[in-house]
Amino acid sequence: MMTVQGVRYMSDFEAKKSILDIGRRMYERGFVASNDGNISCKVGPNTIWTTPTGVSKGFMKQEMLVKMDLSGKVLMGKYRPSSEVKMHLRVYQENPEVQAVTHAHPLVATSFAIAGINLDAAILTEAVLGLGSIPIARYATPGTDEVPESIAPFVNTHNGVLLANHGALTWGKDIYQAFYRLESIEYYATILMYTGNIIGRQNVLSCDQVDKLLDIRQKLGITAGGIPPCSVQETNMKDIVSSSDIRPSKPVTLVHSNNQTLKGVTPIVRPGDSHNTETRVEKVEPEHLSKVKEEIIAEVVRRVTEQLN
Ligand SMILES: [Zn+2]
């Protein structure tokens, strides 16, 4: 470790060792196939070590890694960096607190990215607390400048994004936090798939329950992560059935929580439109329509006021 202007950075040796370690874990967990994926880690305010192109991340050696500055200039190393390092550089430029970035193609999360479905259902307490919701950045051709543009809107408000038809990207205050967020995204995506598509039932957390989790999240010092849509009604205290009687859960009205202390209400991001910020309201039952309308109007007023300030 070394400290520059009050910020602690890994040494070159620690950064390279950690990148090799994370690469092995990424490959062994099946988050990447072949030579896919990339990892980077800061060693100073303007320098990173990153992974080479054309090499399996499970079998890297220290001499394959590349040192670069944040403008993209190679400072050290015989191999070429991945063309995808552009999105890493953009994350560091947008949010100087980020110390590491990981990118992979984990199976379930990537499947959601292909289906165009945000990972934002408030169904798992740990996901709301530690990860938040994960939006989809609009589709961009890998390796082009469109990719960094597509992720930039989320770097200060979320802990990671899905890349449409591509994979997942996470960042953190150190390389392990960035990787754990990648693991958490895949875990959360798998739970979403099991409950939504295999068991076919999800009791979504109510807005009161989400607000309490967001309070805890703030006390933990986590200021980014997105605010997932929540259920107007509390469902998980009464909608309990026998496993011999599994029927789909009743439709619930979803709105955004009233908690306004955290930035990053998770927008509906459809491929092709990363700036869409409408409030998600799904499966609206007619009797709840007026209440939902009121909440939408309140949300719009809040956002307009926010923009004016
Ligand atoms: Zn990729």
Side-chain angles (χ1 to χ4, degrees), residues 118-132:
N118 288 329
L119 304 180
D120 64 355
I123 59 161
L124 185 64
T125 53
E126 286 305 310
V128 177
L129 276 177
L131 188 65

Side-chain angles (χ1 to χ4, degrees), residues 84 103 105 166:
E84 288 184 326
H103 164 62
H105 310 151
H166 180 171

Side-chain angles (χ1 to χ4, degrees), residues 1-77:
M1 286 283 178
M2 55 172 186
T3 305
V4 181
Q5 292 161 351
V7 182
R8 283 159 69 86
Y9 297 95
M10 279 184 160
S11 66
D12 285 345
F13 176 76
E14 288 166 326
K16 288 192 279 184
K17 193 165 161 286
S18 304
I19 289 174
L20 262 48
D21 181 32
I22 297 297
R24 261 192 308 274
R25 293 180 193 217
M26 210 182 241
Y27 187 73
E28 280 164 9
R29 297 218 50 179
F31 289 179
V32 285
S34 180
N35 300 332
D36 297 347
N38 29 79
I39 305 160
S40 68
C41 176
K42 262 184 173 178
V43 285
N46 195 38
T47 45
I48 59 165
W49 279 96
T50 188
T51 46
T53 189
V55 172
S56 167
K57 303 307 165 290
F59 303 96
M60 291 184 297
K61 296 193 164 62
Q62 291 213 7
E63 58 269 26
M64 295 173 175
L65 302 182
V66 185
K67 192 175 191 178
M68 303 177 80
D69 69 18
L70 295 193
S71 74
K73 190 175 149 206
V74 173
L75 305 173
M76 218 183 277

Side-chain angles (χ1 to χ4, degrees), residues 121-133 159 180-181 184-185 187-188 191 205 209 213-214 216-217 220 222 225 228:
I123 59 161
L124 185 64
T125 53
E126 286 305 310
V128 177
L129 276 177
L131 188 65
S133 51
N159 296 316
Y180 292 150
R181 284 176 172 166
S184 297
I185 284 182
Y187 187 81
Y188 176 35
I191 298 270
L205 294 169
Q209 291 165 341
L213 293 172
L214 294 179
I216 296 172
R217 191 162 91 183
L220 291 172
I222 304 169

Side-chain angles (χ1 to χ4, degrees), residues 104-117:
H105 310 151
L107 279 170
V108 183
T110 304
S111 302
F112 275 88
I114 290 168
I117 302 171

Side-chain angles (χ1 to χ4, degrees), residues 266-292:
T266 301
I268 307 289
V269 182
R270 301 183 187 90
D273 181 6
S274 69
H275 301 289
N276 188 331
T277 54
E278 73 182 74
T279 299
R280 167 170 284 196
V281 179
E282 280 183 349
K283 299 175 187 167
V284 177
E285 290 173 317
E287 62 265 34
H288 302 302
L289 208 53
S290 62
K291 186 169 168 49
V292 171

Side-chain angles (χ1 to χ4, degrees), residues 87 90 135-141 144-155 161-164 166 169 171 269 272-275:
M87 58 187 175
R90 186 62 179 266
I136 302 180
R138 67 179 160 77
Y139 179 74
T141 308
T144 67
D145 291 337
E146 294 165 16
V147 182
E149 280 302 307
S150 74
I151 56 147
F154 308 106
V155 175
V161 285
L162 297 183
L163 310 170
H166 180 171
L169 180 76
W171 45 86
V269 182
D273 181 6
S274 69
H275 301 289

